[in-house]
Amino acid sequence: MKRVSQLTTALLLAGLSQCSFAAAMPSALNFASVKAENGTVIDTRPSAFYNGWPQLLNGTGGHEPAALNLSASWLTLMTDEQLGQWVKQHQLDKTGLIALYGDNAQAVKTRLEKLGFSHVTMLADGLKEPSRLQKLAHFEQLVYPQWLHDLQNKKPVTAAPAGDWKVIEAGWGKPKKYLLSHIPGADYINTEEVESEPLWNKVSDQKLKEMLAKHGIRHDTTVILYGRDVYAAARVAVIMLYAGVKDVRLLDGGWATWSAADLPVERGLPEKVEPAPDFGTVIPGQPQLVLDMEQARALLHRKDASLVSIRSWPEFIGTTSGYSYIKPKGEIAGARWGHAGSDSTHMEDFHNPDGTMRTGSDIAAMWKEWNITPEQQVSFYCGTGWRASETLMYARAMGWKNVSLYDGGWYEWSADPKNPVVSGERKPE
């Protein structure tokens, strides 16, 4: 016998046919009723709060179980076509039940109804049962603009640094854009301070020690990094973690999110930094975070491990190398595709419309399709380490424990003709 839900039964008893279901939709339903209807719950708040940051200082952060994140703040950034793509990615049925909760949920309801969704309501008990909420394991590693602004103004914040902290902008080359406008009090690190030619691998441990001292960083300094490109900040972040800095965080979405929040900025050269007399511990503090070529090779063709390519599909199948200075095309034979973006300078597969990190469940689902799972030993690589570093920081925030960066990436691997490579269309093993 076909199961009839409580909601459908109530509508039938009221004498309502299925065709009049939309007109009879309650203005709000509780979580249990939505789940009984196999409905979809959508959180309309900014991703920071979805991920786990509480909206109030002593509040509880996180999202309802299995909720999707469609922030009302993204609506002005999404065309109907882009919203349609988001709907398709999440396999939403326009005749299915949708329940919304969070900031400006009505605006999201209006937009979804314009797109053709007929059964959209509100979640009556959204966020009202703290014990039910889910969050990123380490949401605090991805900070948001207002949190940083409050920290700078000495206001109490959730997950505050334990001791001294610094804000640093990271980018390649001279600080041209930084000089025009940057987050107040931010230092600047040129990525050439942490990586060098010929392969753009990390610099020696001795040079890392000198760089950290120059910027006044000890192992117990909390470092909050941001960049005009998120992956530039992530590249520096991973190398700092390798060195042994215990608490390294990213401004989620980078400079763009600070600018969009219309928070104060300043211009000019960074303030003079007092050098740190000593790092306080041996470098590297976490050597397992950065693998060499032989260590990466040892992960291939294993069920309990994945060497993961964070490169665009055209790079992965060998249509292009992705870089003007890397001539060989192809991919490491046995590597699994971890997604990236449209080309070597984009990471759309990992970003929300505002440039912040996509939900952990979305990312994990992408990876699972290629047999990349959290219980494995997982090492990410790209061309020279930037995109893979961003992904590594997201995996850490998601709570994946045994993760690392294959620093040399395709640039190093392809330089040795003895290394096995593969090209062409292919599917997961």
Side-chain angles (χ1 to χ4, degrees):
M1 181 178 178
K2 186 176 180 182
R3 175 182 171 275
V4 179
S5 73
Q6 293 178 346
L7 178 59
T8 303
T9 300
L11 291 170
L12 291 172
L13 289 173
L16 298 169
S17 65
Q18 189 67 23
C19 63
S20 61
F21 184 92
M25 275 295 294
S27 59
L29 293 170
N30 63 29
F31 186 79
S33 297
V34 174
K35 286 305 169 184
E37 282 290 321
N38 294 318
T40 300
V41 175
I42 297 180
D43 188 325
T44 66
R45 299 173 301 159
S47 59
F49 305 130
Y50 174 94
N51 287 341
W53 290 99
Q55 288 183 272
L56 299 174
L57 183 61
N58 296 315
T60 301
H63 58 269
E64 294 291 346
L68 303 178
N69 189 204
L70 178 59
S71 174
S73 64
W74 303 342
L75 295 180
T76 57
L77 305 173
M78 301 174 79
T79 63
D80 286 345
E81 181 181 1
Q82 290 170 325
L83 183 56
Q85 290 173 347
W86 184 91
V87 165
K88 185 177 180 180
Q89 285 174 346
H90 295 93
Q91 301 178 332
L92 299 185
D93 182 350
K94 290 185 178 180
T95 63
L97 175 62
I98 305 287
L100 311 174
Y101 70 91
D103 303 337
N104 298 317
Q106 184 60 48
V108 176
K109 182 176 188 291
T110 300
R111 188 72 180 273
L112 288 174
E113 289 174 338
K114 178 185 175 185
L115 207 63
F117 283 83
S118 54
H119 302 152
V120 186
T121 187
M122 299 297 168
L123 189 66
D125 56 347
L127 304 175
K128 292 183 179 178
E129 292 190 27
S131 63
R132 191 171 66 196
L133 302 184
Q134 301 175 345
K135 63 186 72 175
L136 281 183
H138 297 291
F139 67 87
E140 75 283 350
Q141 294 178 7
L142 299 172
V143 307
Y144 63 100
Q146 189 61 49
W147 178 92
L148 179 54
H149 182 61
D150 288 344
L151 179 67
Q152 290 178 317
N153 284 279
K154 300 181 179 179
K155 294 182 179 179
V157 294
T158 301
D164 292 339
W165 54 271
K166 292 179 178 294
V167 180
I168 298 176
E169 178 173 329
W172 177 73
K174 295 180 180 179
K176 296 178 181 178
K177 293 181 179 178
Y178 169 96
L179 291 174
L180 295 175
S181 187
H182 58 262
I183 294 176
D187 192 5
Y188 181 83
I189 287 181
N190 180 348
T191 55
E192 291 181 347
E193 296 179 61
V194 300
E195 60 177 12
S196 63
E197 296 183 281
L199 296 175
W200 297 109
N201 285 356
K202 68 171 183 62
V203 296
S204 69
D205 293 347
Q206 179 58 38
K207 287 188 176 180
L208 276 183
K209 184 177 181 179
E210 294 168 1
M211 181 278 294
L212 292 164
K214 170 187 170 184
H215 291 279
I217 298 169
R218 287 174 42 86
H219 73 286
D220 53 0
T221 305
T222 294
V223 180
I224 302 161
L225 287 155
Y226 75 95
R228 311 287 158 158
D229 297 306
V230 175
Y231 48 44
R235 178 60 166 155
V236 176
V238 170
I239 293 175
M240 285 188 178
L241 286 166
Y242 159 86
V245 181
K246 293 180 179 179
D247 187 6
V248 182
R249 313 189 193 190
L250 292 180
L251 174 61
D252 197 10
W255 167 255
T257 58
W258 184 273
S259 182
D262 199 27
L263 291 168
V265 298
E266 64 182 20
R267 60 186 302 159
L269 293 168
E271 297 178 5
K272 186 176 180 180
V273 177
E274 185 71 28
D278 182 60
F279 185 63
T281 190
V282 176
I283 295 177
Q286 295 195 76
Q288 76 280 3
L289 281 181
V290 178
L291 304 190
D292 61 25
M293 187 161 60
E294 293 309 311
Q295 291 171 315
R297 192 194 312 277
L299 302 183
L300 294 170
H301 308 294
R302 286 168 49 182
K303 290 184 178 180
D304 66 340
S306 286
L307 184 61
V308 181
S309 172
I310 305 298
R311 303 175 73 204
S312 67
W313 185 249
E315 291 172 273
F316 187 73
I317 64 174
T319 303
T320 176
S321 74
Y323 302 80
S324 61
Y325 54 87
I326 301 178
K327 300 307 177 185
K329 301 175 184 178
E331 193 57 274
I332 297 174
R336 294 172 178 145
W337 190 46
H339 288 256
S342 53
D343 57 36
S344 62
T345 62
H346 289 85
M347 287 283 282
E348 299 102 327
D349 294 349
F350 290 91
H351 291 165
N352 293 318
D354 62 354
T356 55
M357 172 190 160
R358 277 181 72 182
T359 65
S361 57
D362 278 359
I363 293 173
M366 259 190 336
W367 287 342
K368 188 176 182 180
E369 289 180 358
W370 281 80
N371 302 314
I372 304 161
T373 57
E375 68 274 5
Q376 295 174 340
Q377 181 181 353
V378 178
S379 191
F380 303 102
Y381 73 93
C382 53
T384 62
W386 286 39
R387 289 174 289 174
S389 292
E390 181 175 345
T391 309
L392 175 56
M393 294 300 290
Y394 293 158
R396 284 172 53 84
M398 290 161 61
W400 288 40
K401 299 185 184 305
N402 199 356
V403 290
S404 61
L405 171 73
Y406 167 35
D407 196 25
W410 175 244
Y411 198 6
E412 179 181 62
W413 188 273
S414 64
D416 186 345
K418 296 178 183 178
N419 285 330
V421 301
V422 64
S423 295
E425 296 280 342
R426 54 196 179 278
K427 296 180 180 179
E429 297 173 0

